[in-house]
């Protein structure tokens, strides 16, 4: 098979009429260019250029090959342009995995900012529970995934590279007229006589509630098992009970409930929100850009932001 770089040398020499000029165009010395041309003629089995007193001209075989070389050069330049456009984030696809809480809080703002800056990148988002998201990352179905963990079930997976985006504390959800909202601070041990709204289907937050209450010395009395956080808020607003929930799950808070932080000494569970990718696969430019956007957006969901935007309603109410 003919050597492509030598074929491009022939093309340049034919167009420029000079092996020296072709060598300069390709970043070669004239001596190296002469050697490479001789090797190409050996590969072709016949002369490809005629050396003149001033410059060179192609033989008929050389002219035919040079014409092919022009087409190859166009394709190579187009290929490089494609690669450059991916690096410049002008085109491509980014596949993300996410879980419902992140999809309703962090992700929309991140997607909006990303699309504003990189409109040529197509984004696909696939939802799942934690085990499903990890499998998607391992198989390459998604390039990046938003994951979470608690202290008692830390993600320990050497196949994943993890970036900690933020801590998501647990808060107490009570009716807007609850006497609890007037307390300067809330402790779990003071809530033993309360009825509770819990997440159904062995949801991780149900485990958080039971662990927290048992650590405080009591078993929670369950009044209702909800299937999403909006349903849980509705049952709390109706006075059926109170609930625990991660802060990010309540970015769309009903006006008839209040969110109460726990007293500083209370070990309320806090989950980590993580950005993950397969450790064995280098992050693509779109993935790197999305990671930067997510880190910036995560700063808007700090505890201080929550206190200003949501918990401030406790004092006003």
């Amino acid at each position: 098979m003919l050597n492509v770089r030598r074929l491009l040398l022939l093309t340049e020499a034919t167009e420029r009429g000079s092996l020296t000029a072709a060598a300069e165009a390709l970043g070669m010395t004239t001596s190296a260019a002469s050697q490479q041309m001789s090797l190409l003629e050996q590969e072709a089995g016949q002369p490809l250029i005629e050396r003149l007193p001033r410059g060179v001209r192609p033989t008929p075989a050389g002219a035919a090959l040079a014409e092919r070389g022009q087409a190859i050069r166009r394709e190579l330049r187009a290929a490089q342009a494609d690669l450059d456009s991916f690096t410049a984030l002008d085109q491509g696809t980014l596949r993300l995995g996410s879980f419902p809480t992140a999809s309703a809080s962090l992700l929309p703002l991140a997607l909006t900012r990303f699309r504003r800056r990189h409109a040529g990148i197509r984004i696909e988002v696939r939802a799942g529970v934690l085990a499903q998201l990890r499998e998607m990352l391992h198989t390459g179905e998604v390039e990046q995934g938003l994951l979470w963990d608690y202290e008692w079930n830390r993600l320990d997976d050497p196949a994943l590279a993890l970036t900690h985006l933020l801590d998501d504390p647990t808060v107490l959800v009570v009716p807007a007229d609850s006497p609890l909202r007037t307390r300067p601070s809330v402790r779990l041990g003071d809530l033993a006589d309360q009825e509770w709204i819990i997440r159904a289907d062995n949801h991780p937050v149900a485990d958080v509630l039971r662990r927290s209450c048992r650590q405080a010395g009591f078993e929670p009395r369950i009044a209702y098992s909800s299937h999403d956080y909006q349903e849980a808020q509705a049952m709390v607003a109706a006075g059926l009970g109170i609930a625990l929930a991660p802060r990010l799950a309540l970015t769309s808070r009903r006006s008839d409930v209040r969110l109460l932080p726990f007293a500083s000494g209370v070990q309320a569970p806090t989950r980590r929100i993580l950005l993950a990718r397969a450790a064995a696969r280098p992050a693509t430019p779109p993935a790197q850009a999305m990671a930067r956007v997510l880190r910036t957006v995560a700063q808007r969901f700090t505890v201080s932001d929550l206190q200003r935007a949501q918990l401030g309603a406790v004092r006003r109410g």
Side-chain angles (χ1 to χ4, degrees), residues 210-227:
R210 291 193 172 96
R211 284 177 178 269
S212 301
C213 292
R214 287 167 186 167
Q215 188 176 14
F218 68 94
E219 191 72 25
R221 301 203 309 269
I222 308 303
Y224 188 80
S225 296
S226 67
H227 292 276

Side-chain angles (χ1 to χ4, degrees), residues 17-30:
S18 166
L19 197 57
T20 299
E24 291 178 356
L26 296 176
M28 304 168 64
T29 65
T30 302

Side-chain angles (χ1 to χ4, degrees), residues 128-136:
V129 297
L130 188 61
Q132 293 171 330
L133 293 169
R134 291 177 65 177
E135 182 65 16
M136 291 179 196

Side-chain angles (χ1 to χ4, degrees), residues 41-58:
E41 289 180 322
Q42 291 177 24
E43 291 174 347
Q46 58 186 298
L48 299 175
I49 59 172
E50 297 178 17
R51 289 168 171 80
L52 305 173
R54 292 186 179 180
V56 297
R57 69 183 175 196

Side-chain angles (χ1 to χ4, degrees), residues 13-299:
T14 298
E15 291 176 346
R16 297 173 186 273
S18 166
L19 197 57
T20 299
E24 291 178 356
L26 296 176
M28 304 168 64
T29 65
T30 302
S31 174
S34 180
Q35 292 175 358
Q36 291 299 309
M37 185 60 66
S38 295
L39 289 172
L40 181 62
E41 289 180 322
Q42 291 177 24
E43 291 174 347
Q46 58 186 298
L48 299 175
I49 59 172
E50 297 178 17
R51 289 168 171 80
L52 305 173
R54 292 186 179 180
V56 297
R57 69 183 175 196
T59 65
L65 274 184
E67 187 175 348
R68 297 285 187 182
Q70 290 174 341
I72 291 172
R73 185 177 59 192
R74 283 194 297 270
E75 289 300 317
L76 289 174
R77 287 175 175 173
Q80 184 61 55
D82 286 344
L83 290 176
D84 291 344
S85 70
F86 281 105
T87 302
L89 301 177
D90 291 331
Q91 63 174 302
T93 299
L94 176 62
R95 297 184 306 277
L96 289 170
S98 183
F99 58 98
T101 300
S103 297
S105 55
L106 282 173
L107 195 53
L109 181 56
L111 291 175
T112 299
R113 290 190 176 190
F114 187 91
R115 288 183 182 280
R116 189 182 303 135
R117 300 172 187 174
H118 312 297
I121 301 296
R122 182 173 181 268
I123 300 178
E124 297 176 1
V125 181
R126 302 181 185 179
V129 297
L130 188 61
Q132 293 171 330
L133 293 169
R134 291 177 65 177
E135 182 65 16
M136 291 179 196
L137 286 162
H138 290 154
T139 61
E141 186 176 348
V142 297
E143 184 176 353
Q144 289 177 311
L146 288 166
L147 309 180
W148 53 265
D149 69 8
Y150 283 98
E151 183 179 3
W152 59 85
N153 68 342
R154 290 297 190 212
L155 281 173
D156 184 16
D157 189 341
L160 296 180
L162 302 176
T163 299
H164 178 208
L165 294 177
L166 76 156
D167 290 326
D168 187 19
T170 298
V171 296
L172 185 66
V173 188
V174 303
D177 59 355
S178 170
L180 291 171
R181 67 188 178 85
T182 62
R183 295 187 182 185
S185 62
V186 178
R187 297 182 180 277
L188 272 170
D190 298 333
L191 305 174
D193 60 343
Q194 297 286 329
E195 298 281 345
W196 292 87
I197 311 299
I198 198 170
R199 287 298 303 271
D201 303 325
N202 297 316
H203 192 277
V205 173
D207 185 38
V208 169
L209 174 64
R210 291 193 172 96
R211 284 177 178 269
S212 301
C213 292
R214 287 167 186 167
Q215 188 176 14
F218 68 94
E219 191 72 25
R221 301 203 309 269
I222 308 303
Y224 188 80
S225 296
S226 67
H227 292 276
D228 59 54
Y229 289 109
Q230 284 301 110
E231 183 185 9
Q233 288 189 65
M235 294 300 103
V236 170
L240 198 59
I242 60 176
L244 289 184
R247 171 173 56 88
L248 285 182
L250 302 167
T251 50
S252 297
R253 179 179 61 82
R254 292 174 58 104
S255 61
D256 48 5
V257 300
R258 295 292 181 267
L259 311 183
L260 306 183
F262 287 100
S264 58
V266 175
Q267 295 298 314
T270 296
R271 67 178 179 177
R272 298 188 307 171
I273 306 299
L274 307 164
L275 179 64
R277 64 172 178 83
R281 302 186 192 101
T284 62
Q288 294 173 17
M290 178 58 78
R292 290 191 294 269
V293 171
L294 281 167
R295 286 194 296 268
T296 300
V297 168
Q299 296 175 8

